[in-house]
């Protein structure tokens, strides 16, 4: 007769259905620490960055210690309310006089009740990261067949992270940028970045063969064989022609530029002195130098790379994009689907959120102005 053995191996030899309960009990013996290690190791969510995984590990250690010290539960036994309360406690102040809900948390206690950088409490974006870590953990539960299908975080809503609009030059600022003489390249860039609000890389990639002065178009190569056509506004066509004349003069005294221009493959619109294509980072710097000269968005420089006499500017290629979108929507009152198309957004919501939130005055004017004809 076969005798029962407490050894784990004998469990697997027997009919699985009979021993399912026992089997789950065995898995219960995995500690939260082990579960964190296992979840990070297997990475069912396919998180790519190691830095993100490290952060998730820290978040989950906090979550585990909170559950244990405040409620005496663990990952297996946590309920929705525990997740909710954990998320709430993150938003509460720490520091010398911590909020009640922080006091009992062992993790917070051993660290002297830290706050987020902008305290009191951790910021919405940091709390969002915490929730992502908890969902990452319970995805591991769902993905592993020997762990129970638990997800007490399923109904937990992600904290709303307020969108901070990046620096956006006004139409007055844009006028200054366009009128500032600067250098030939700086002057061209100001026109180009504003009148063809594309992405930074596309300016770096542009060759003269992509520009059709007859049709007044710029063909922008995208991924694969796809391309987009930007129509050239008359001020941009003029700026490109003037710049072209200057570049041809330069080519007469600079052999590298002359050689680059001789071959359509290497005839970039923005060539360096060595006849190479100008990298995107340099385009950002040139945009800043030009803006400093124009006196737009100027601030003291902290870095060493992009300074002109210790000054830099908040103007960037993207700032021109935002300016174009904001002026188009709020001053020219162009429909948002048109603006979205110009910016090549796949979704109109992106246009609205990131570039040009509809001004409330426009909404009021729309209500007041409604007439039936
Ligand atoms: Zn805590």
């Amino acid at each position: 007769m076969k005798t029962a053995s407490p050894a784990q191996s004998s469990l697997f030899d027997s009919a699985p259905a009979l021993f399912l309960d026992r089997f789950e009990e065995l898995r219960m013996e995995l500690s939260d620490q082990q579960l964190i290690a296992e979840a990070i190791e297997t990475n069912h969510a396919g998180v790519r960055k190691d830095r993100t995984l490290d952060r998730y590990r820290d978040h989950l250690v906090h979550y585990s210690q909170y559950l244990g010290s405040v409620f005496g539960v663990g990952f297996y036994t946590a309920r929705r309310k525990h997740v909710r309360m954990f998320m709430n406690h993150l938003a509460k102040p720490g520091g010398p006089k911590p909020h009640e809900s922080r006091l009992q948390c062992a993790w917070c206690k051993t660290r002297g009740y830290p706050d987020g950088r902008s305290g009191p409490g951790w910021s919405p974006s940091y709390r969002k990261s915490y929730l992502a870590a908890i969902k990452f953990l319970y995805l591991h539960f769902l993905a592993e067949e020997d762990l129970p299908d638990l997800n007490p975080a399923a109904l937990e809503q992600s904290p709303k992270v307020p969108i901070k609009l990046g620096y956006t030059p006004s139409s007055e600022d844009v006028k200054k940028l366009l009128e500032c003489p600067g250098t030939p390249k700086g002057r061209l860039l100001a026109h180009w970045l504003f009148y063809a609000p594309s992405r930074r890389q596309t300016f770096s990639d542009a060759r003269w063969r992509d520009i059709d002065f007859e049709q007044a178009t710029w063909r922008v190569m995208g991924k694969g064989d796809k391309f987009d056509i930007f129509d050239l506004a008359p001020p941009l066509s003029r700026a490109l022609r003037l710049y072209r004349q200057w570049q041809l003069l330069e080519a007469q005294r600079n052999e590298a530029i002359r050689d680059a221009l001789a071959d359509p493959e290497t005839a970039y619109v923005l060539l360096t002195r060595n006849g190479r294509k100008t990298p995107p980072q340099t385009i950002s710097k040139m945009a800043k130098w030009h803006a400093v000269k124009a006196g737009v968005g100027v601030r003291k420089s902290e870095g060493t790379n992009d300074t002109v006499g210790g000054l830099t500017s908040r103007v960037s290629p993207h700032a021109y994009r935002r300016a174009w979108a904001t002026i188009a929507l709020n001053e020219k009152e162009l429909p948002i689907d048109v603006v979205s198309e110009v910016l090549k957004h796949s979704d109109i919501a992106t246009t609205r959120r990131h570039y040009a939130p509809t001004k409330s005055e426009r909404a009021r004017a729309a209500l007041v102005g409604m007439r039936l004809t």
Side-chain angles (χ1 to χ4, degrees):
M1 202 177 97
K2 202 178 172 189
T3 49
S5 157
Q8 196 180 339
S9 61
S10 73
L11 277 176
F12 293 101
D13 298 337
S14 315
L18 281 173
F19 287 89
L20 203 60
D21 288 349
R22 188 66 216 286
F23 186 61
E24 281 188 354
E25 258 172 51
L26 272 180
R27 278 293 291 203
M28 290 280 275
E29 287 163 21
L30 277 189
S31 67
D32 283 1
Q33 286 298 323
Q34 286 170 310
L35 283 166
I36 294 171
E38 196 182 81
I40 300 276
E41 185 73 21
T42 53
N43 188 11
H44 282 297
V47 173
R48 291 217 193 109
K49 289 183 187 162
D50 286 344
R51 255 178 42 210
T52 308
L53 288 174
D54 288 345
R55 205 175 59 228
Y56 283 2
R57 186 184 290 112
D58 290 346
H59 290 348
L60 289 174
V61 168
H62 187 176
Y63 174 54
S64 165
Q65 291 189 15
Y66 174 87
L67 292 175
S69 55
V70 181
F71 298 108
V73 298
F75 291 163
Y76 288 91
T77 43
R79 291 169 181 273
R80 273 178 212 148
K81 62 181 176 188
H82 299 134
V83 176
R84 188 83 275 271
M85 284 188 270
F86 174 70
M87 292 304 295
N88 282 342
H89 110 292
L90 295 174
K92 297 291 189 277
K97 280 186 191 166
H99 187 269
E100 214 183 324
S101 63
R102 298 280 301 273
L103 281 172
Q104 285 172 286
C105 173
W107 190 95
C108 287
K109 193 176 178 181
T110 49
R111 284 162 183 79
Y113 305 102
D115 268 330
R117 250 177 296 168
S118 53
W122 279 280
S123 69
S125 68
Y126 207 66
R127 282 184 273 128
K128 196 174 169 179
S129 161
Y130 262 100
L131 185 61
I134 295 172
K135 290 191 170 174
F136 173 88
L137 170 77
Y138 288 113
L139 178 74
H140 180 72
F141 271 74
L142 292 177
E144 289 295 318
E145 48 285 76
D146 54 358
L147 287 173
D149 284 354
L150 288 174
N151 187 2
L155 295 179
E156 193 62 25
Q157 292 204 348
S158 201
K160 288 261 184 304
V161 179
I163 288 172
K164 282 190 207 118
L165 267 194
Y167 171 69
T168 308
S170 67
S171 47
E172 282 306 306
D173 292 333
V174 174
K175 263 185 216 153
K176 280 193 211 164
L177 289 163
L178 295 179
E179 283 164 10
C180 172
T183 62
K185 265 189 204 172
R187 200 157 56 233
L188 168 68
L189 260 186
H191 286 79
W192 206 3
L193 292 169
F194 180 69
Y195 284 111
S198 184
R199 296 189 168 91
R200 194 175 68 167
Q201 182 69 44
T202 60
F203 299 97
S204 170
D205 292 341
R207 296 175 174 97
W208 282 111
R209 66 172 181 205
D210 303 328
I211 299 204
D212 183 338
F213 283 112
E214 292 283 301
Q215 302 291 321
T217 55
W218 169 31
R219 201 166 70 138
V220 177
M221 298 310 294
K223 281 176 196 152
D225 288 336
K226 282 187 194 161
F227 60 85
D228 287 320
I229 300 283
F230 272 90
D231 292 285
L232 302 179
L236 174 55
S237 274
R238 199 162 54 240
L240 277 164
R241 279 178 203 275
L242 285 171
Y243 171 81
R244 174 79 174 158
Q245 285 168 16
W246 170 83
Q247 197 186 43
L248 290 172
L249 281 176
E250 280 291 291
Q252 285 177 16
R253 13 172 210 262
N254 183 322
E255 205 179 337
I257 292 181
R258 187 159 65 236
D259 289 347
L261 289 179
D263 181 353
E265 277 297 315
T266 55
Y268 290 99
V269 176
L270 296 170
L271 281 171
T272 65
R273 253 178 238 131
N274 303 323
R276 302 261 168 75
K277 119 182 191 181
T278 305
Q281 302 88 312
T282 310
I283 290 176
S284 294
K285 282 182 204 169
M286 293 194 304
K288 288 184 190 303
W289 292 333
H290 185 79
V292 169
K293 283 179 193 150
V296 176
V298 179
R299 63 171 182 193
K300 280 223 176 77
S301 172
E302 285 145 22
T304 47
N305 286 334
D306 50 2
T307 70
V308 182
L311 296 173
T312 184
S313 168
R314 303 174 73 195
V315 171
S316 63
H318 238 78
Y320 277 97
R321 234 168 111 77
R322 279 192 291 272
W324 192 93
T326 309
I327 293 167
L329 277 172
N330 295 308
E331 292 177 31
K332 303 290 171 195
E333 310 219 343
L334 293 172
I336 193 157
D337 60 308
V338 173
V339 174
S340 187
E341 180 66 29
V342 167
L343 299 179
K344 317 286 179 204
H345 284 154
S346 51
D347 186 350
I348 286 178
T350 313
T351 319
R352 234 192 65 199
R353 282 203 315 271
H354 290 276
Y355 290 88
T358 310
K359 291 249 170 81
S360 57
E361 303 96 81
R362 283 187 62 205
R364 269 186 253 144
L367 279 174
V368 175
M370 172 56 85
R371 300 286 183 280
L372 290 175
T373 50

